Structures are given as structure tokens and as C-alpha cells.
Amino acid sequence: AISRFRNTLLSVKSALSFETQEEYPGRQETVFLALLNLSQWFIFTFEMQRSGASRTEAEYFGDYTWVLIQRITLPLSIFFRFHSTVVLFDAWKNNYKVNTEV
């Protein structure tokens, strides 16, 4: 188990080297976008459904209209954020494999 942990640390260290950054451009941006989408998914899933979270919008559109807008768009937003997070992590996993053969 310890050697497996050491190999994992060595592969992470090699993944962060300058040569790897030139070999795999866009790797950090892909991770950033995936984590950004994941955080937005958490916000849309757990925070936006509270009624007190959007008083300004409810005052502007009206209570009934804002509830209708929220009930239609919120599930789409949650699906989009979750799906894009999974797609970005899958792209990162498949496109940026670290060669562990020495």
C-alpha cells in the first residue's frame, strides 16, 4: 500500500512538472472549469431553491412569475452544471494520462 501511495505521489509530481505543462496544454484550465462547474452545481442544487435567496428577483418579476421561472430554469441549470462537470473530468482523464512507465 505504501509503494502504491508513493507511486501516486510520484505521478502527481511528474504531472505538475514544466515539461508536462508544455506537453499537455490546457490541463489546468480543464480542471479549473470542472471545479467551477461543480461549485456552481452545488450552489444551484442546495442554495438557489430557498425562497429567501432571491427576494430581489421576486420583487422585480412578481412572486408567481418568479416561481414559474425558477421551476423551469433551475432543473435545466442543475442538469447542465452536473453534466458539464462530468464531461470535463472525463475529458481530463482521457486526454491527460500520465505515462507511468519508466
Side-chain angles (χ1 to χ4, degrees):
I2 293 174
S3 65
R4 183 175 230 178
F5 179 71
R6 183 182 62 81
N7 288 339
T8 304
L9 286 178
L10 288 175
S11 68
V12 168
K13 181 182 175 189
S14 69
L16 297 176
S17 68
F18 182 72
E19 294 82 20
T20 306
Q21 289 178 4
E22 287 182 354
E23 188 177 343
Y24 300 116
R27 184 175 187 177
Q28 292 177 348
E29 290 83 359
T30 305
V31 172
F32 172 74
L33 288 174
L35 293 176
L36 180 69
N37 277 324
L38 184 65
S39 65
Q40 289 292 315
W41 176 74
F42 277 123
I43 290 171
F44 286 151
T45 303
F46 300 113
E47 183 66 28
M48 294 296 287
Q49 294 179 1
R50 295 182 183 173
S51 61
S54 57
R55 285 284 176 213
T56 306
E57 292 88 350
E59 289 174 5
Y60 180 77
F61 289 109
D63 288 333
Y64 180 74
T65 307
W66 179 242
V67 167
L68 187 65
I69 291 171
Q70 208 172 19
R71 296 291 186 244
I72 291 171
T73 60
L74 195 58
L76 295 173
S77 298
I78 291 170
F79 172 76
F80 171 76
R81 291 295 177 186
F82 182 76
H83 187 264
S84 63
T85 301
V86 170
V87 167
L88 283 167
F89 275 125
D90 190 47
W92 180 81
K93 181 183 75 170
N94 291 327
N95 292 327
Y96 302 115
K97 292 180 182 177
V98 177
N99 190 6
T100 58
E101 297 175 9
V102 179

